[in-house]
Amino acid sequence: MKTLVVIPARGGSKGIPRKNVRFMAGRPLISYAISCAKNSKNQFEVVVTSDDEEIKLVASKYGAQIVDRPASLAGDKITLDPVIYQAVEFMETKKGYRYDYVITMQPTSPLLSVNTLDSAFDFFIANDFDTVISGVNDPRLSWRVENGICIPNYSERVNRQYMKKDLKETGAFVISKRDFIKPTGRFGRKISIYEMPEREAGDIDTPQDWWIAETELNKKNILIRVDGYSRIGMGHIYRGLQLAAGFIEHKVMFVISNKSDIGIEKINESHYPYKVILDNKEIIDIIKDFKADIVINDILNTDVEYVKSLKSVGVRVVNFEDEGEGAQYADAVINALYEKDNPERNTFYGSDYYLIRDEFVINSSNRRFSNHVNNILILFGGTDPCNLTNKTVHALLKLSNVHITVILGLGYNYYDEVVKLTENHDNFEIVQNVKMMSEFMGKADIAISSQGRTMLELAAMGVPTIIMSENEREATHEFGTIKNGYLNLGSGLEVSENTIYETINWLIQCPQIRRNMSQQMLEKDLLHGYDRVKKIVLGQQ
């Protein structure tokens, strides 16, 4: 069996000038159709028929044979039928044999995959069709106009998933037996539609079509390796989910360890796909199955063996807050909570790379400073393993003329203790599982928090904040200093309840100090970190 693929590519495109040879995602548009046909398992012969010298030159560079299209077949009103017929006749004369099948492939369908083309050809052969046309299922509630009146094309209004199949031609390919290739048509009597994936069905007619197709071609498969459990908190999970939300144009999957009980629950609620592993060695098989391009690690320190194993399978590796030995082998390391004057190659330090959530971008402009303290906010993250919440609440029970909101995370294990401690104090409000943290921060005149990521969210809202570290690692987060607007009390385990009370009481009495703290926080550009981080992850910086 001999099969000829004909790719018609006329010059003089008006909607998108030089469309067929213009670069899309780093390659000429026409090259995608040529490569798709040439990579088929069926060893198709591939020709490009064109009247344009630039198109013919580019097409030949990508391995297509060239058929000169005569001027009589290059006009705007000429249909494809005589063009395809002329190309087939020319090639048969040149080769000295007759083809069995002819496939017309449009150069404007760059998303068509080799697998789809081969599957369609197998479908065509197996069923002995005369012609098979590419199509996509696109059921919609549609209307027609008759005598100026709009009439529905449906009998009842139902959701899309319950509508009957409605196949529309995509133009990606037409497969026909050679006997039906004529100057006036390419279709036989026994015709079928091959339903192709919707993602591959795009046809380039407008600049918007171009943008959509190029976005698809640039799509990456991104694995996000995170953990979240009581001892380390939920910050890594939240950052992973925030990253995933921003990579809407890419494909994302999470990988999480089996010990991350509350982390698994949170990711499951998000509806992102995820895999649970017992050991990091399992991630290599997941990378291969997922065909990952990028692996993001938000698991604190990595070792050399782990990062080298990732690099051995050809993925880009980006790590967060990694101070381990494996960091030197990653493509990029991002540490927003640390500062370095002369960072090593491919390392990015400082608050410029903090990922602020959308809600803080939205609500930061609504922040208003008050000379009088009406609301105090206490929050120590999702788990608060040192139970600094209890210590702080106990220290502030003597404050009766200020409303105090205590926010407890999902992983906090002492909820009942705090409720009992405050049950006779009407000025305390206990809140758990907050959906919009910025709403609470926006109302706070003073906050008391740990020295982790939450302090940066408070800074984005300009809330004068007293911070305490939960552990030695938090204590090294350089951003939590007086120059950035914080009163740092050091280790939360070592600070006394009296110190907490005296500090908060003093700060209540010093509006100018609080104003200065707020202004110092707002001087930092914390609202554009995501754009910087996204470029780093994708290797664009």
Side-chain angles (χ1 to χ4, degrees):
M1 296 188 300
K2 298 185 183 301
T3 304
L4 180 68
V5 172
V6 183
I7 302 173
R10 188 170 64 91
S13 172
K14 296 179 179 63
I16 303 175
R18 299 179 59 251
K19 176 170 65 176
N20 289 315
V21 293
R22 184 185 288 266
F23 270 50
M24 172 182 283
R27 290 169 49 186
L29 176 61
I30 196 171
S31 72
Y32 291 98
I34 296 171
S35 297
C36 180
K38 289 186 68 65
N39 289 328
S40 167
K41 66 181 181 180
N42 296 289
Q43 298 181 326
F44 299 139
E45 290 185 49
V46 182
V47 300
V48 168
T49 170
S50 181
D51 61 323
D52 185 277
E53 292 304 318
E54 185 179 16
I55 292 174
K56 288 187 281 188
L57 179 62
V58 170
S60 64
K61 293 289 185 182
Y62 284 88
Q65 300 178 68
I66 304 301
V67 173
D68 293 320
R69 186 188 303 193
S72 60
L73 296 178
D76 290 341
K77 297 182 179 180
I78 299 296
T79 65
L80 281 182
D81 296 328
V83 173
I84 302 304
Y85 178 78
Q86 184 265 338
V88 173
E89 288 271 286
F90 176 88
M91 289 300 296
E92 288 179 336
T93 301
K94 179 180 177 180
K95 297 289 185 177
Y97 51 72
R98 182 179 173 87
Y99 292 99
D100 299 290
Y101 310 110
V102 175
I103 303 175
T104 305
M105 286 181 63
Q106 295 283 15
T108 53
S109 298
L111 301 177
L112 175 65
S113 69
V114 177
N115 181 64
T116 297
L117 179 62
D118 281 344
S119 296
F121 192 72
D122 290 344
F123 172 72
F124 168 78
I125 295 295
N127 293 280
D128 194 28
F129 290 119
D130 295 335
T131 305
V132 165
I133 309 166
S134 63
V136 64
N137 186 31
D138 187 25
R140 296 178 186 275
L141 295 172
S142 63
W143 297 66
R144 66 186 184 276
V145 178
E146 293 182 4
N147 299 321
I149 300 174
C150 291
I151 301 173
N153 291 322
Y154 54 86
S155 57
E156 60 177 330
R157 297 184 69 88
V158 295
N159 291 336
R160 190 170 188 256
Q161 63 266 34
Y162 300 114
M163 294 180 187
K164 292 181 180 179
K165 185 169 287 191
D166 187 3
L167 294 170
K168 293 180 172 57
E169 293 186 36
T170 67
F173 56 79
V174 174
I175 308 172
S176 286
K177 291 178 179 177
R178 169 62 179 90
D179 292 343
F180 299 103
I181 303 298
K182 300 175 181 179
T184 56
R186 288 166 288 152
F187 292 1
R189 294 179 179 177
K190 190 179 179 182
I191 301 174
S192 185
I193 303 289
Y194 183 82
E195 186 177 344
M196 63 189 299
E198 189 172 353
R199 174 191 175 274
E200 299 180 23
D203 185 45
I204 311 300
D205 284 324
T206 67
Q208 184 181 19
D209 296 333
W210 187 283
W211 179 85
I212 292 171
E214 191 161 43
T215 299
E216 281 290 333
L217 289 168
N218 284 324
K219 179 178 285 187
K220 303 293 184 185
N221 291 346
I222 303 174
L223 277 183
I224 303 180
R225 171 72 180 90
V226 290
D227 278 330
Y229 47 92
S230 294
R231 187 174 64 81
I232 66 170
M234 289 286 286
H236 308 282
I237 300 293
Y238 289 125
R239 178 160 52 200
L241 290 171
Q242 188 181 356
L243 281 167
F247 286 116
I248 186 67
E249 70 272 36
H250 303 284
K251 188 176 180 181
V252 175
M253 177 186 285
F254 282 88
V255 178
I256 187 167
S257 68
N258 67 320
K259 63 185 176 183
S260 298
D261 49 353
I262 53 178
I264 292 171
E265 182 181 348
K266 189 66 180 178
I267 290 176
N268 187 56
E269 290 176 0
S270 73
H271 303 297
Y272 284 104
Y274 67 94
K275 297 282 187 180
V276 179
I277 59 174
L278 300 176
D279 187 277
N280 272 337
K281 293 179 181 178
E282 298 174 49
I283 197 172
I284 299 301
D285 288 335
I286 296 174
I287 289 171
K288 293 177 181 178
D289 291 342
F290 185 59
K291 298 181 181 178
D293 302 293
I294 300 170
V295 174
I296 298 172
N297 293 296
D298 200 342
I299 52 176
L300 296 179
N301 296 349
T302 62
D303 58 47
V304 172
E305 181 183 3
Y306 172 66
V307 179
K308 279 191 170 182
S309 71
L310 299 180
K311 293 301 297 176
S312 71
V313 291
V315 296
R316 177 173 174 80
V317 179
V318 180
N319 297 351
F320 281 84
E321 293 182 34
D322 186 1
E323 295 288 298
E325 293 296 321
Q328 61 184 308
Y329 297 98
D331 294 286
V333 178
I334 303 170
N335 282 319
L337 297 174
Y338 299 88
E339 302 285 345
K340 271 195 179 181
D341 293 331
N342 297 300
E344 295 83 4
R345 181 185 64 86
N346 290 337
T347 59
F348 303 85
Y349 284 84
S351 58
D352 282 349
Y353 304 102
Y354 182 69
L355 300 180
I356 203 75
R357 286 179 293 185
D358 292 347
E359 60 172 293
F360 294 97
V361 177
I362 295 169
N363 288 321
S364 61
S365 60
N366 298 327
R367 173 69 189 169
R368 297 292 182 269
F369 181 82
S370 172
N371 286 322
H372 183 72
V373 175
N374 298 300
N375 296 286
I376 294 176
L377 184 64
I378 299 173
L379 66 169
F380 285 94
T383 59
D384 186 14
C386 296
N387 201 10
L388 300 184
T389 300
N390 190 296
K391 175 184 278 191
T392 304
V393 168
H394 200 271
L396 301 187
L397 289 176
K398 291 183 286 184
L399 287 177
S400 59
N401 58 342
V402 178
H403 184 269
I404 300 174
T405 303
V406 184
I407 295 183
L408 306 177
L410 287 173
Y412 183 67
N413 294 322
Y414 309 98
Y415 177 86
D416 292 339
E417 290 183 17
V418 174
V419 170
K420 186 174 182 179
L421 192 61
T422 60
E423 61 183 357
N424 295 320
H425 298 265
D426 295 338
N427 60 320
F428 278 84
E429 177 186 4
I430 311 300
V431 182
Q432 192 172 35
N433 194 19
V434 171
K435 298 299 183 184
M436 287 287 285
M437 186 68 74
S438 60
E439 291 289 329
F440 289 90
M441 291 184 180
K443 298 173 183 176
D445 300 301
I446 297 175
I448 307 173
S449 180
S450 55
Q451 202 169 333
R453 299 170 189 82
T454 304
M455 69 175 177
L456 285 156
E457 294 173 350
L458 288 161
M461 299 296 293
V463 184
T465 301
I466 298 168
I467 57 174
M468 295 176 275
S469 59
E470 293 264 13
N471 50 54
E472 291 183 5
R473 189 181 185 96
E474 272 197 3
T476 64
H477 296 169
E478 290 96 333
F479 190 78
T481 62
I482 189 63
K483 71 176 183 179
N484 291 325
Y486 301 94
L487 292 180
N488 194 327
L489 300 184
S491 170
L493 289 174
E494 297 177 9
V495 68
S496 69
E497 291 182 8
N498 186 61
T499 298
I500 296 172
Y501 173 76
E502 292 293 340
T503 304
I504 197 77
N505 197 44
W506 171 77
L507 197 54
I508 289 173
Q509 308 302 320
C510 300
Q512 189 56 48
I513 297 295
R514 287 188 282 108
R515 183 181 294 275
N516 290 341
M517 292 170 67
S518 180
Q519 289 175 347
Q520 286 173 301
M521 288 176 164
L522 295 174
E523 286 176 1
K524 295 291 184 180
D525 180 16
L526 297 174
L527 302 182
H528 300 94
Y530 193 96
D531 294 335
R532 302 182 188 106
V533 168
K534 188 172 182 178
K535 288 180 179 179
I536 294 169
V537 170
L538 296 175
Q540 298 171 350
Q541 180 171 325

